[in-house]
Structures are given as C-alpha cells and as structure tokens.
Amino acid sequence: MAAAPDPCTPDLVDLCRLRVEDLDPVLEEERLTWRSTLSWDFHSSAELVRRFLRIQALNGYALVSGDRIVGYSYQVCEDRKGLVGDLYLLREFATPENEACLLDAVLQSLLVIPHLQRI
C-alpha cells in the first residue's frame, strides 16, 4: 500500500492554472520583503508578473499548500539562454526543500527546450 501524501508538503502547480488573485498575497509579501531588505520598490515587477499571469504567458510553477499559494518561480527564454526570472516563498514556507522544489521544476522545464545553450 502506498503511503499517504504528507499534508504539510506543498504541491507543485503550473502557473498557467492560477488566477492573479491567487498569487497576490505572495507578491505582496515579496514587495514588502524587497522594500525592507534592499530598499527596492518591487511594485512594477509585481505588476509585470500579474500582467503576464493574467494573459497566461508566464512559464513557471507555484507551490500550493492546501488552498493557498505559498511560493512561485518562473523562467524566461531569451535568444539561446534560459533565465530564472524570480523565485519567492512566503517566509513560513521558505525552506531549502521548497526552494529546491521550485528551482528544480523551473530548471527541468528549461532543460527540455532544444535551442537553449545556457541557463
């Protein structure tokens, strides 16, 4: 018999399955974190994420715990290189395991793109 999934382990979900409103709490915490840590205004970057998510043009993944988005990461292809655009987890879910899960998902999706020469 297979073991039951750990209810504390977040699930990986493709960003195209999310609504903008689902990601808003994560983007807001990220905005506040950037402001307090680096004195940088993340507002315009968050708006770009929202815009591309709204038109389902953002390639990446979110971590979902229950019915709550707890983190996300996305990738961008530019010419022959792949870029990790962002990776952020809510503070309470910012563990090395969750970071690795998101980063691995993004990197794996970049590795299958035939024309990329570097990431």
Side-chain angles (χ1 to χ4, degrees):
M1 177 184 288
D6 183 352
C8 297
T9 303
D11 295 316
L12 198 59
V13 174
D14 196 305
L15 284 178
C16 71
R17 295 181 52 204
L18 301 182
R19 299 174 308 139
V20 174
E21 298 79 21
D22 298 332
L23 196 56
D24 275 340
V26 178
L27 291 172
E28 180 59 17
E29 183 182 295
E30 184 175 16
R31 186 186 69 78
L32 294 171
T33 299
W34 279 102
R35 186 177 68 194
S36 66
T37 305
L38 300 172
S39 300
W40 185 61
D41 185 2
F42 184 75
H43 179 76
S44 59
S45 297
E47 286 306 311
L48 277 174
V49 169
R50 286 182 181 99
R51 185 172 70 193
F52 282 99
L53 187 60
R54 193 172 288 113
I55 62 171
Q56 296 185 330
L58 192 61
N59 297 313
Y61 299 92
L63 280 182
V64 180
S65 181
D67 61 353
R68 181 176 171 207
I69 306 298
V70 299
Y72 76 105
S73 185
Y74 66 90
Q75 72 270 12
V76 177
C77 293
E78 181 180 274
D79 296 323
R80 296 181 179 264
K81 66 181 171 187
L83 305 167
V84 177
D86 197 358
L87 189 154
Y88 187 81
L89 288 152
L90 294 175
R91 280 183 222 109
E92 65 188 278
F93 290 89
T95 65
E97 295 81 14
N98 286 342
E99 291 171 1
C101 179
L102 279 173
L103 185 58
D104 184 59
V106 167
L107 292 175
Q108 290 303 317
S109 64
L110 287 169
L111 287 172
V112 298
I113 299 173
H115 67 277
L116 290 184
Q117 293 181 338
R118 67 182 174 137
I119 297 173

